[in-house]
Each structure stands twice: as C-alpha cells, then as structure tokens.
Amino acid sequence: MSGSIGVVGGGQLALMLAEAAQRLGVELHVQTPLATDPAAALATSVVQAPIDDVAGTRALAALCQAISFENEWLNLDALAALEAEGVVFVPRLQALQPLVSKRSQRELLDRLQLASPRWIPLEAVLTPPAGLAADSLPQQAGGPGGEGWPPATAEGGTAEAPNPPEPSAPRLPQGFSFPLMAKAATGGYDGRGTACIHDDQELALLVERVPPEQWLLEEFVAFEQELALVACRDRGGNVRAFPLVQTHQHNRVCDWVLAPANVSHAVEARARNMAASLLTALDYAGVLSVEFFYGPAGLQVNELAPRTHNSGHYTIEATVTSQFEQQVRIVQGLGLGDTALKLPGALMVNLLGFETAASSYEEQRQALADLPGASVHWYGKRESSPGRKLGHVTLLLTQQQPEPRQQEAMQRLDQVRAIWPLPPEERP
Ligand code: ADP
C-alpha cells in the first residue's frame, strides 16, 4: 500500500497513528511545535509549527493527500479557508463543527434525542440572566419552556429582568441541585476544565473566575459504570464499532480500560446504535469515540471525541484492526478493517506519572514488560509530572466468560499496581 496522510498534532495519539501507518506502508506527516514531541521521531516528516498555525497546516497539506486531527479544540473558521482551497480534512470540518465544544456537543445530543446528563449553560445561573437570549437555552427541563424556568426567586416568584439589572448571587434553576459538574466548553482534557460544584459559595466563585458563556453546568450522575465505544465510519458511509469497554478514572483521568465491558447484549447494542446514529447524522468519516455513563438512568452520553481515543488503545494488541490502523485506512480512503476481538479480552492500564522529580521510570517499565502477556507503550514525553499520561500497558486476558475474566483483569491490575502506583488522590 502507498499514500500519504497528515496529522495535526504530535502527541501520543499521533505517535500510535504513525506506528500504524508504518505497518500499512502509508507515509504520515505531522504538524507539531517541537521536534522532540512523541510522534516526531516516527513521522515521515515534521512541519514544526504550533497546532493552531494555519500556515503550518497549509504546509502539511502540501505533503499529503488528506489531513486528520489529534485533538478537537480546533479553530474551524481558520481552517475553512484551507478546505475552500481544496485541502481534504477527514473528518470534514462541517462534521467536526458540533464536536469542537462541549456545549455544542450537548446541543447536538439534545437535537438527536440521545440521552445525556441534563445541563444548562453556566450563564443561566446568573439572575437576572444577563445577556442570555431565551432561545439560546436548551429546550429541556431547566431551560426556557422547560420545567423550572425561569428560576424561582427567593420569595417564591419568578425572576424578571429588572432594568438595569442588579448584580445578585447566582441561583440554580429549579430541578437542579448540588453537587453539579461544571465544565469548560473547550480546551479541557483529563479532567482539566471540569470542577465539581458542591454549594452556592463554590458556584459564586466559579462565575467570578470563569467566563460563564464558555462553561456549562450539568447534573452529577450517579453512574455504576463508565463505558466507552470507539466507532468508525469510512468515506463511503459504512459504519463499524470496536467492542464496548469499561473505563475507570482516577482524579478524573482514565486509569484503566477493560475490554470487552461486562454488560448485557442490550446495553452494547444500544451504545452501538447511538454511535451509529451520531456518525450518520454528522456524515462523519473517521474514528470517533463516545464516552457513556451507565446506571439507574440507563446509558447517557458524557462526551464525544472525534478521533482515536485512550479507551481504544487496547485494540493495538486485541482486535484484528487497531483503532489507529482504522483511522489511517479511513483517512487514506480505504475500506474499514475488522473490529472484532482476536482474543477473549484485554486490560489497558495508563501509566500516569507518580514521581515529583523527573524520572524515566526505567526499572518500572522493565518490570511491567516482564509480566506475562504484557505490552508496554512508552510515549517518550520530554517532561513527566504526577498524573500525566506517560505511557500505557496492555495485558491480554485469557478467561472466556465475563465474570472470571473480570476477576482475572482485577488480578492483573493488582500486579501492575505493585509496580506502578497511582498518583495521589485529589479532591474532586
Ligand atoms: P474531560 O474532557 O476532561 O475528560 P469529562 O467530561 O470526560 O472531562 O470528565 C472526566 C471525568 O469526570 C468523567 O470520566 C467522570 O468520571 C467524571 N464526570 C464528568 N462529568 C460527570 C457528571 N456529570 N457526573 C459525575 N461524574 C462526572
């Protein structure tokens, strides 16, 4: 096979894409600021430029047939000029449009009637709702037209916008109660840009500290499990999904992933249907991951990531085609590879930095590599800090049945923990 693709970004996802491209005989060029970034050593060539540098992306486009992204926090308006010049982005920019902000993701999910946690734009807690156009709010409980809107005043009446508005303490619309999750619409990852809000005081601090129009507030979900699905759609419209997995977070960062998740066929089918309707509604080409909460409220979408994802790293060893190979195939215009597991299951554990001093963790990496059925992936980041994703290890599972397999996974996790401890707990 031959061909050449470009990736905007040079971190660990681009590194694993470059590994897959090499196996497929496809050239992969990256745009990344530093020659020492993880993907730079393996890429066919490097356009050394910040990832939001459009001139850099134009230079990248000159080297390849199609471009995809490592990260969704994009300036689509700036990139539109390149698309108009004929640069091929996969996924195309229009499909990415609703996905580049957590607020527009929530609006998309509401529009497609796919369950997600109830939410409000953060400015909806400001009374009077300064600068808030009533029709800019989601049509659901807590929004205009929904139950609990407008927010009740302390006197039990409803808030009317006085003229001029008096600054007053932020107030929750009816139907919402603490604790709540506050999230930045853009730029957040690994729990940065999220905050658990426990009371009025924390809410007041939040609205002082952040631009409310760029944040949202959502109900705190009492989930039993977090699940994730990496799904994919080729440029001809064919859809497939990798197995549904269980994810576990530590300090709101992905800690481990168990594939496949120990859930009923009905839950897996529902997750696949939700992902397929999203991909099709967006006319999306590429790999996309869907993160779910699962509990008494059923399956709810937490977040969408229009790219390869940490919850799919296990596919490198465990499925016929990996998520990275799949993305390379799709960007290159090829048909989809087989997404089935080729063994009973796998446990992926993220190697989160736990030392405060700079460390190359050589001893621990060797000990992990010596575990049976283990593959260590080390991203070669220049700097390590507590909690930072430095690599991951995938352990192959042998048990055929879900319950014994889950027990096997937890035993394997203990083996990893004995070598690689978790970073200290932070207050949520
Ligand atoms: P990021 O984009 O930084 O990964 P997420 O929205 O995925 O942020 O949140 C990170 C983690 O925080 C989730 O995996 C989950 O464990 C927890 N979390 C996020 N939103 C909620 C919520 N509404 N209720 C309960 N926990 C949540």
Side-chain angles (χ1 to χ4, degrees), residues 305-370:
R307 53 174 167 78
T308 54
H309 193 251
N310 197 174
S311 65
H313 289 0
Y314 76 94
T315 61
I316 295 173
E317 284 81 19
T319 55
V320 179
T321 310
S322 77
Q323 63 163 348
F324 299 103
E325 181 179 336
Q326 197 75 291
Q327 179 73 353
V328 173
R329 293 181 68 88
I330 298 168
V331 178
Q332 186 58 40
L334 302 168
L336 297 177
D338 187 350
T339 52
L341 281 167
K342 55 185 181 191
L343 31 94
L347 176 76
M348 191 268 344
V349 186
N350 272 333
L351 304 176
L352 305 174
F354 60 87
E355 305 272 24
T356 38
S359 166
S360 60
Y361 298 93
E362 257 158 51
E363 222 176 277
Q364 290 90 344
R365 281 154 58 189
Q366 189 53 53
L368 288 172
D370 291 342

Side-chain angles (χ1 to χ4, degrees), residues 86-300:
V87 174
V88 178
F89 292 109
V90 180
R92 66 207 169 87
L93 302 184
Q94 205 187 331
L96 285 167
Q97 185 82 55
L99 305 175
V100 296
S101 130
K102 287 193 187 187
R103 275 170 63 149
S104 53
Q105 286 193 8
R106 290 273 186 255
E107 283 159 1
L108 172 75
L109 294 165
D110 290 348
R111 210 163 51 242
L112 297 178
Q113 298 189 327
L114 297 174
S116 63
R118 287 194 318 129
W119 70 284
I120 44 170
L122 182 56
E123 63 268 37
V125 304
L126 301 175
T127 49
L132 184 68
D135 58 5
S136 70
L137 282 164
Q139 295 298 308
Q140 58 177 12
E147 186 193 329
W149 187 269
T153 59
E155 297 77 43
T158 49
E160 277 175 24
N163 197 9
E166 296 278 325
S168 59
R171 189 175 302 151
L172 293 182
Q174 248 176 33
F176 282 85
S177 56
F178 297 112
L180 290 163
M181 283 302 274
K183 297 185 175 180
T186 58
Y189 68 100
D190 289 350
R192 287 167 208 150
T194 65
C196 188
I197 303 296
H198 300 86
D199 52 34
D200 285 313
Q201 215 179 350
E202 288 185 3
L203 183 61
L205 275 176
L206 180 76
V207 296
E208 267 174 35
R209 201 168 51 84
V210 303
E213 68 287 355
Q214 287 168 31
W215 280 65
L216 63 89
L217 266 186
E218 67 184 28
E219 63 184 341
F220 196 88
V221 180
F223 54 79
E224 284 157 14
Q225 283 184 333
E226 287 189 80
L227 303 171
L229 189 81
V230 174
C232 42
R233 185 168 180 269
D234 67 18
R235 290 164 75 174
N238 300 295
V239 173
R240 277 192 195 153
F242 290 92
L244 185 65
V245 299
Q246 180 184 356
T247 69
H248 182 266
Q249 336 297 320
H250 172 78
N251 292 340
R252 281 172 274 154
V253 180
C254 178
D255 169 17
W256 53 259
V257 171
L258 171 63
N262 184 5
V263 294
S264 69
H265 176 71
V267 170
E268 172 130 20
R270 180 145 177 69
R272 283 173 180 255
N273 285 340
M274 287 166 95
S277 37
L278 269 163
L279 289 169
T280 309
L282 293 170
D283 189 16
Y284 181 101
V287 166
L288 172 137
S289 89
V290 188
E291 292 179 55
F292 296 98
F293 297 131
Y294 180 59
L299 208 49
Q300 292 180 299

Side-chain angles (χ1 to χ4, degrees), residues 343-413:
L343 31 94
L347 176 76
M348 191 268 344
V349 186
N350 272 333
L351 304 176
L352 305 174
F354 60 87
E355 305 272 24
T356 38
S359 166
S360 60
Y361 298 93
E362 257 158 51
E363 222 176 277
Q364 290 90 344
R365 281 154 58 189
Q366 189 53 53
L368 288 172
D370 291 342
L371 293 173
S375 305
V376 176
H377 297 257
W378 190 249
Y379 306 147
K381 292 188 180 176
R382 239 162 33 110
E383 282 168 29
S384 105
S385 57
R388 187 160 194 220
K389 285 176 188 164
L390 301 176
H392 74 265
V393 57
T394 300
L395 302 132
L396 305 183
L397 303 175
T398 57
Q399 293 293 325
Q400 297 289 341
Q401 295 306 315
E403 287 301 327
R405 192 164 54 235
Q406 191 148 14
Q407 284 165 18
E408 183 188 14
M410 292 305 103
Q411 285 160 6
R412 304 299 323 256
L413 181 62

